[in-house]
Amino acid sequence: MMVDSTLAQIEKNLSEAMSILGDEQREPQMKREKAGFSWTSIPGPLQRDGQDVATIVHQVHNLIHEKMEGEEPLCQHRVQSVGEQGHMALLGHSLAAYISMLDRERLRRLSTRILSDTTLWLCRLFRYENASVCFHEDDRDGLVKVCRLLLNARYEEFACEGYTVLSSKQPVIYQSASCRPGLGQHTCSQLGLPLSSLCTVPCNTVFGSQHQMDVALLDKLIQEDSDAGKLPLLLIANAGTPGAGHTDKLSRLKELCDQHGMWLHVEGVNLATLVLADVSSAVMAATRSDSMTLTPGRWLGLPAVPSVTLYRHEDPALSLAAGLTSSQPVEKLRALPLWLSLQYLGQNGIVEKISHATALSKHLLMKLKPLASIKTSVEDDLSSPVVLFRFSQDMSGALGGRSGEALCAGEKEVLDTFNRWLGEQLSQMVSSCGVDVVELEDEGPCVRFSPLLTAAVLGTQQEDVDELVDRLTVLVPVMSSTVCLRQDFREETHRRAPLLMYVEELAWPGLGAVRFEPQAEGMDESRRKQELQKINYALLKKLQELNTDIIFSAGPETGAEQDCVYVGLVTEDVDISELVDTIAAFGREIEENGRLLENMTEVVRKGILEAEQQLQKASEDKLLEEGLLRQLPVVGSVLNWLSPLQSSIKGRTFNLAAGSVDSTDATYLTKAQTDKISVQDTPTSSSKRSAGQRLFRRSNTSDTSSSNSTEAAEDWNLSPQSSSSHPDTSTTTSDTSQHTLSDVIAEETEREDTEREDTEQEDAEQEDAEQEDAEQEDAEQEDAEQEDAEQEDAEQDGVSQADQGQS
């Protein structure tokens, strides 16, 4: 009962821990608790008092969901879905820790039983009879231990003399050029062998798959090494290359290894199909190999499950010396997580998962075949666990039968760039499919769909594959039209030289890049660079304000030309000539406005000096006209009252637009300010757009598919930039009617005229009001003066009467 209660407590604690770690609702609360300071990233001392399990697990949860500066939230990453079978694998690690505390005899008996069961099940599942099993965390360690086994077997004194015995006959390990990068180097490093002991065999160049090892060339290399006194030791073959998923000719390679006394080791994702009832003969040949490495954790979606190497060797002592087996019972408990998971899934569950993954590959391959401009690269057109496809455009045909000399330079580099962008977009749009981009030597970048590695982890279903194809059907037409119009964009830009300069940017998945060149003369290099940067930055902002579905941006963050305007993807109905005209016109407008602002300072300075001179002259004229007496404080007031003087000095106004000082006669005459320079009407484009027609679109285009692809592209906000990590310079588009550049300028001019007329009307009304107030003040002043005069007359009469009375 004590053991049962302990096991129950382990299971309970694990369930509670997984519940806390998987509770995504706690993330907002955790963010509020840590607002303003991230204490989890700072190491601290161990607390004096212990903490309970729940507190520790909550701390782990906070560490998992902690978002560092510049890092994407956890929800944007592919997170493995831990199901019931995943819980069983995690429970295995807890049970292994508990079982290791049992007495030695009980531990030995239990660990041996677990190892024996797991070995038997794996050998029967993968049709590899009479084999031993080695469990290891790093999937490369199995190959290293097999090589160490061969060194002990082929060199009798290796156990005593060590590596000194290798000097007489250097061992050679052969691998395909399509093997995992760094696999051979890692093996030599772990064994202490020089890199000269590693021989890379090229793949086929004429016959067969270009991802399969060239068997004839391998035979030649082995014979040459044997003649040179070397020892051919081991051959690493692939049952599913890491990039393309192709399988080497294992039957022929096995015969060649037997002929030269070599060991054949096989690895690859296609080994998972050995559990199915229908297995291809190429993969079935792997069961004749001397060893092979399996990764059931990735194939079945099991977390923290070790990799497995099955091998056939009769000497257990050499296997023990090589580390393939262990005499420690605790080491045998590595098989416990897999032992529990295999029992939970059962044989039918395992076969079902592998069958589901292969069915997804078949479904995608069937959907891709009808798509134009999509080229698939699979080993078997009927059944292939790995599907590779890439965007392929016939440039000469797409450009209307132009000659090869008229093609855009770097055609292959451009297509490679578009394929990298395509893979990134599909990975973000349909993350449940787990597609990625692989770089192949001959084909270049390709989009890879390998459900055997991702479907069990991400839970990929057939609906996800359909969504992937739907997204692809929208992206491909836009990419095709963009590739076709790149040359037109280049030619139109060259026609507008020297205003515009085409920037050759092969790493940009869009229409292209253009730079506006300032036309001012007499500027030094530093000043010209600043002016170029300022104009192109303003040009980019102005283009982004246009209500269009074309994306304008500053380009990639790294490795891109600076001070350029990058034009994104376009549809086939885009008028390239109008687009380039708009860019040139906006650039000219920005440059002219900049020149006006630069000249404004000098104009204002000269105008102020002229105004000061005229004011000084007006003051002198006023002094001569009024005389010296009128300038005295008391006398001047009496003279002005007795004999008012009508001044002939006129007011002045400073016209900023003309940079001149003008008279105010016209202002007082019309009671409104007038402009000396009349604004000319801005010419508008003769071509009128129909209602709802988009900017930069040809009016005679009626392609329904192009319209549909454009609308879908807008819904998904297609931009050549990735969500990486660089700033978003795209603008939100809408479905309102568009105008040409001339129409926009005309509307802006009309709006400015209306505002000016309103301002003049307000000024006139204000002048009228001020004049009425002045007239009213004059009338009041006259009344007051009249009253004062009457009062003085009355006082004078009183004085006269008093004088008469005294007389």
Side-chain angles (χ1 to χ4, degrees), residues 483-693:
V483 172
C484 293
L485 294 175
R486 281 178 67 101
Q487 180 67 16
D488 294 340
F489 180 75
R490 181 178 182 174
E491 294 176 356
E492 292 292 338
T493 304
H494 286 326
R495 291 193 184 101
R496 287 152 184 85
L499 277 180
L500 299 180
M501 185 182 76
Y502 181 81
V503 179
E504 190 70 38
E505 188 60 59
L506 301 178
W508 174 248
L511 190 61
V514 63
R515 177 186 293 125
F516 184 86
E517 295 290 339
Q519 301 302 307
E521 299 180 356
M523 291 190 300
D524 56 8
E525 186 65 24
S526 177
R527 177 68 184 281
R528 179 178 178 81
K529 185 177 181 181
Q530 294 178 359
E531 188 73 11
L532 184 143
Q533 181 179 3
K534 182 176 65 175
I535 293 178
N536 283 277
Y537 178 78
L539 175 60
L540 174 60
K541 293 300 180 184
K542 196 173 185 67
L543 290 172
Q544 289 176 344
E545 294 173 358
L546 293 178
N547 200 358
T548 177
D549 57 351
I550 301 178
I551 304 299
F552 300 95
S553 68
E557 290 185 351
T558 58
E561 288 283 344
Q562 301 297 323
D563 306 327
C564 299
V565 175
Y566 287 79
V567 186
L569 300 176
V570 296
T571 53
E572 61 181 358
D573 58 345
V574 169
D575 192 337
I576 299 299
S577 178
E578 181 183 354
L579 173 62
V580 178
D581 284 339
T582 302
I583 296 175
F586 278 170
R588 260 195 321 268
E589 179 183 352
I590 294 171
E591 185 181 21
E592 292 173 358
N593 292 338
R595 291 178 183 175
L596 179 61
L597 292 176
E598 291 178 356
N599 297 331
M600 185 61 67
T601 303
E602 184 67 19
V603 171
V604 171
R605 188 183 65 83
K606 292 181 179 179
I608 292 175
L609 293 177
E610 182 181 355
E612 290 178 350
Q613 295 174 0
Q614 292 192 12
L615 290 175
Q616 181 68 25
K617 185 176 183 302
S619 299
E620 295 175 356
D621 294 342
K622 179 180 178 181
L623 180 61
L624 294 175
E625 181 179 357
E626 295 179 354
L628 182 62
L629 292 177
R630 293 182 182 272
Q631 310 304 318
L632 299 177
V634 179
V635 178
S637 300
V638 175
L639 291 177
N640 289 332
W641 177 70
L642 294 176
S643 177
L645 179 63
Q646 298 294 331
S647 177
S648 62
I649 303 300
K650 303 299 182 181
R652 295 290 186 269
T653 177
F654 180 58
N655 192 332
L656 289 176
S660 60
V661 180
D662 301 329
S663 175
T664 57
D665 292 342
T667 302
Y668 289 112
L669 181 63
T670 61
K671 299 182 180 180
Q673 293 183 357
T674 58
D675 291 336
K676 187 174 182 180
I677 302 176
S678 61
V679 179
Q680 298 179 356
D681 296 334
T682 303
T684 59
S685 175
S686 59
S687 60
K688 301 299 180 180
R689 295 186 177 275
S690 59
Q693 185 177 349

Side-chain angles (χ1 to χ4, degrees), residues 368-390:
L368 291 178
K369 287 183 178 180
L371 296 182
S373 301
I374 291 295
K375 178 182 178 182
T376 59
S377 177
V378 294
E379 184 177 17
D380 186 0
D381 291 338
L382 300 178
S383 176
S384 180
V386 180
V387 178
L388 291 178
F389 61 91
R390 63 180 271 113

Side-chain angles (χ1 to χ4, degrees), residues 239-456:
T241 56
H246 291 203
T247 302
D248 290 325
K249 299 176 181 179
L250 299 179
S251 298
R252 182 71 182 92
L253 293 177
K254 178 57 179 174
E255 296 175 358
L256 191 62
C257 288
D258 292 341
Q259 177 182 350
H260 294 279
M262 296 173 56
W263 184 285
L264 177 61
H265 179 83
V266 181
E267 64 174 22
V269 65
N270 293 349
L271 293 175
T273 60
L274 288 173
V275 303
L276 303 178
D278 186 12
V279 186
S280 64
S281 58
V283 178
M284 182 62 73
T287 58
R288 298 173 49 202
S289 63
D290 298 294
S291 63
M292 62 181 182
T293 297
L294 311 174
T295 55
R298 302 186 65 181
W299 301 339
L300 304 177
L302 304 175
V305 169
S307 300
V308 179
T309 295
L310 303 178
Y311 65 97
R312 295 189 180 102
H313 198 268
E314 298 178 354
D315 193 343
L318 293 180
S319 299
L320 181 62
L324 290 168
T325 59
S326 176
S327 58
Q328 299 296 326
V330 177
E331 294 293 329
K332 299 178 182 179
L333 292 179
R334 288 186 177 181
L336 183 56
L338 190 57
W339 183 75
L340 294 175
S341 301
L342 293 179
Q343 290 186 85
Y344 179 83
L345 292 173
Q347 183 175 356
N348 293 336
I350 296 172
V351 173
E352 181 181 357
K353 282 184 174 293
I354 304 300
S355 300
H356 175 69
T358 55
L360 292 176
S361 297
K362 294 179 182 178
H363 184 67
L364 177 61
L365 187 59
M366 179 186 64
K367 290 281 189 177
L368 291 178
K369 287 183 178 180
L371 296 182
S373 301
I374 291 295
K375 178 182 178 182
T376 59
S377 177
V378 294
E379 184 177 17
D380 186 0
D381 291 338
L382 300 178
S383 176
S384 180
V386 180
V387 178
L388 291 178
F389 61 91
R390 63 180 271 113
F391 169 74
S392 179
Q393 182 77 32
D394 186 3
M395 305 289 284
S396 59
L399 294 174
R402 296 178 181 175
S403 61
E405 291 75 15
L407 296 180
C408 181
E411 172 186 343
K412 186 178 185 302
E413 289 80 358
V414 171
L415 292 179
D416 291 346
T417 299
F418 274 83
N419 277 284
R420 293 188 188 96
W421 177 85
L422 176 63
E424 294 173 358
Q425 292 294 316
L426 294 177
S427 176
Q428 297 175 5
M429 293 177 176
V430 195
S431 59
S432 57
C433 282
V435 296
D436 59 356
V437 180
V438 293
E439 298 280 347
L440 300 181
E441 183 177 357
D442 296 324
E443 292 86 348
C446 295
V447 183
R448 179 179 62 180
F449 178 66
S450 183
L452 283 173
L453 298 177
T454 60

Side-chain angles (χ1 to χ4, degrees), residues 5 59 62 64 222 285 357 369 473-474 549 566 575 599 610 759:
S5 61
Q59 183 179 357
N62 293 341
I64 293 175
I222 294 175
K369 287 183 178 180
T473 54
V474 175
D549 57 351
Y566 287 79
D575 192 337
N599 297 331
E610 182 181 355
T759 303

